[in-house]
Amino acid sequence: MRIRQLAQRAALCAALSLSLLGLGTSTATADTSAALPISSYRDIAVDAAHQRVFLSDPFGGSVLVTDYTGQVVKQISGAAGAWGMALSDDSRTLYVALRDAGAIAAIDTATLQETARYDTGTGAGAYAGPTSLALAGGKIWFGYSLDTWRGALGSLDLSGAQPVVTRDQGLDTFRGSPRLAATPQDPDTLVAAESDGNYATVAVYDVSNGRADTQARRTDPGPDGCQSLQDLALTPDGRQVVIACAAAHYHQALRTTDLADDGIYSTSWSPNSVAIAPDGTIAAGVYGPSWSDVQLFPQGTSTSYADWDFPEPSEYDNTTLVTAGLAWTPDAGRIFAVTETSGSSSLTLRVLDHPRVDTTVTVQAPASSPRNQNLTLTGKLVAPVGFGTGSTVDIWRIDDPLAGEGTMIGSANVAADGTFSYTDRPKAKGNVQYTVQYYGDARHAYAYGSVTVNITSD
């Protein structure tokens, strides 16, 4: 390929990536949205194996199932007080907390039929049945109420011949039924937090021994405290829990080892939702009639790189994100957001495609190297979000820039942190230019970089 052609191709791709992304924070709109035939909502779960989204409808006593565009597949009835949900690691079973039935239902994700129901022994109704679920330590954990003022943890063990329910796990009680969070990558860590509208209490448990052993506990956490906790999520590495407190003006990160403050994600007033992708990207949502509804952050970075501001239907009606209304697809390619429109109180499922983020390539090599000897190029891709397995870059060598000839000599795999390396054995003397091209993917824009090496005699 002529060097002129290579440069033209690079310029065209770079211009295309900029036109798709823009500069700085990317403001996007939902690619698709669909009205939901339910009037209440509490939780959302995403099944990548069947490309389905599950939404709990507690007051309608159902679980709504849609496809990835929000089109209704089925509405599963007979789910009294359907509240929190948890999907099994193999995506075969959806577990649903049935607050009003005092039970946990198991739904086959292929047939969309309830296959089992497990009595939690907590009683039923607003101040008894389970409301939140999480899978950790080989068990199903649930939050429930002991009475009007106190909540606790319980577990359901399905590993034996008969299901075993254990209530009052751990030594902690909460003011109301706690919310739970866990992550498959750190299966022995469970986080619970109360959300009764007062100063929140957060607790971290080690559940590796089949019981909830308290590792850390903190009341009113964060630089400015936490009143009215709305949602929480655990990072994939299990090192941070991110909480959304309605009275704050940012999302707070806490270190799970001791629940010490571990950074903030700068959103705006009244955070109400948080969801964390498998690669650590944080989607932070707020109740925001007048500002961005959803923002994206790299883990550990306080400034967002993309945001969505949902359109208002009229001068008098607002469209706002509901509490705990966010969920990622496992490939981190899109986010599902549940919104409510004032006036009609109608619910909508919005599908937010992850924007293509700006990407840069740096390349390093020795200033000079003998010909017919190994020459190693190293480099790194840099972007606000990480790179998945299977990412590659192409390596081009231009032996004589004045002659304008370039040849692709190979490809290199990109590690999760963006690094790569490639070893060449150049034969021609003089200045040799190496150009590295990354063609991008659904989340990253095209990028390229180059380095020149003076190839000397043997």
Side-chain angles (χ1 to χ4, degrees):
M1 175 186 289
R2 297 278 183 185
I3 186 173
R4 181 175 60 256
Q5 294 173 315
L6 178 60
Q8 288 174 341
R9 180 181 183 185
L12 177 60
C13 291
L16 177 60
S17 70
L18 287 174
S19 68
L20 289 170
L21 178 68
L23 297 176
T25 300
S26 172
T27 300
T29 57
D31 291 290
T32 60
S33 62
L36 299 175
I38 54 177
S39 58
S40 66
Y41 164 86
R42 280 301 179 273
D43 201 6
I44 183 171
V46 179
D47 173 15
H50 301 95
Q51 301 273 291
R52 286 170 177 164
V53 180
F54 297 89
L55 304 106
S56 65
D57 170 24
F59 302 130
S62 72
V63 174
L64 184 68
V65 188
T66 76
D67 61 18
Y68 269 18
T69 67
Q71 299 305 304
V72 175
V73 175
K74 184 176 182 178
Q75 191 161 2
I76 304 170
S77 59
W83 216 266
M85 300 184 292
L87 188 67
S88 64
D89 291 341
D90 60 9
S91 294
R92 293 182 178 180
T93 306
L94 177 74
Y95 297 101
V96 184
L98 304 179
R99 187 195 69 170
D100 297 349
I104 296 173
I107 296 174
D108 186 305
T109 55
T111 65
L112 301 180
Q113 300 290 330
E114 183 177 323
T115 57
R117 183 170 291 201
Y118 307 99
D119 190 336
T120 57
T122 59
Y127 300 110
T131 59
S132 182
L133 298 182
L135 305 182
K139 295 183 177 182
I140 303 169
W141 295 84
F142 57 91
Y144 68 102
S145 295
L146 293 167
D147 52 40
T148 305
W149 305 108
R150 297 179 303 148
L153 290 175
S155 65
L156 170 62
D157 187 354
L158 300 178
S159 62
Q162 296 294 326
V164 176
V165 173
T166 305
R167 294 178 297 279
D168 298 328
Q169 282 272 18
L171 301 177
D172 299 317
T173 57
F174 298 88
R175 292 172 296 180
S177 182
R179 294 179 179 270
L180 306 181
T183 178
Q185 292 93 320
D186 187 9
D188 294 331
T189 297
L190 176 70
V191 180
E194 64 190 11
S195 53
D196 72 339
N198 296 314
Y199 300 111
T201 293
V202 181
V204 179
Y205 302 95
D206 178 359
V207 295
S208 59
N209 293 320
R211 60 182 184 272
D213 294 326
T214 305
Q215 303 299 296
R217 182 179 173 90
R218 185 179 176 191
T219 298
D220 201 24
D224 300 306
C226 175
Q227 296 183 48
S228 188
L229 185 143
Q230 302 292 299
D231 200 8
L232 76 163
L234 194 58
T235 56
D237 57 17
R239 296 181 180 179
Q240 277 188 344
V241 56
V242 180
I243 57 177
C245 304
H249 55 276
Y250 47 76
H251 285 62
Q252 302 167 194
L254 307 174
R255 194 167 56 209
T256 51
T257 53
D258 55 6
L259 290 176
D261 297 346
D262 202 23
I264 63 172
Y265 297 96
S266 300
T267 47
S268 57
W269 188 256
S270 200
N272 70 351
S273 301
V274 58
I276 305 179
D279 68 353
T281 305
I282 292 166
V286 302
Y287 177 84
S290 302
W291 46 79
S292 297
D293 297 278
V294 180
Q295 293 174 257
L296 300 185
F297 299 82
Q299 184 177 344
T301 302
S302 63
T303 304
S304 67
Y305 65 86
D307 70 274
W308 287 265
D309 187 5
F310 301 136
E312 309 299 343
S314 72
E315 180 182 355
Y316 305 101
D317 293 329
N318 295 317
T319 296
T320 54
L321 185 70
V322 302
T323 296
L326 295 175
W328 286 91
T329 54
D331 66 359
R334 66 185 68 177
I335 309 155
F336 297 101
V338 182
T339 63
E340 183 177 24
T341 300
S342 62
S344 65
S345 297
S346 58
L347 295 171
T348 299
L349 181 65
R350 299 177 185 274
V351 185
L352 316 177
D353 283 341
H354 190 288
R356 300 183 78 199
V357 298
D358 216 354
T359 307
T360 60
V361 180
T362 58
V363 190
Q364 295 85 34
S368 63
S369 179
R371 72 186 187 95
N372 294 318
Q373 303 229 356
N374 286 346
L375 166 63
T376 299
L377 306 171
T378 60
K380 187 173 185 178
L381 301 182
V382 178
V385 292
F387 299 87
T389 57
S391 297
T392 61
V393 292
D394 286 349
I395 316 296
W396 294 78
R397 185 181 66 214
I398 305 171
D399 293 316
D400 184 358
L402 294 178
E405 297 292 339
T407 304
M408 194 182 90
I409 57 176
S411 299
N413 293 323
V414 177
D417 63 357
T419 58
F420 60 87
S421 65
Y422 184 84
T423 300
D424 187 30
R425 198 176 180 89
K427 296 180 174 56
K429 291 194 302 180
N431 287 334
V432 173
Q433 180 180 324
Y434 291 93
T435 296
V436 176
Q437 293 198 77
Y438 172 63
Y439 296 107
D441 56 27
R443 286 158 47 96
H444 299 88
Y446 169 91
Y448 73 101
S450 62
V451 66
T452 299
V453 180
N454 180 27
I455 305 301
T456 62
S457 302
D458 299 349

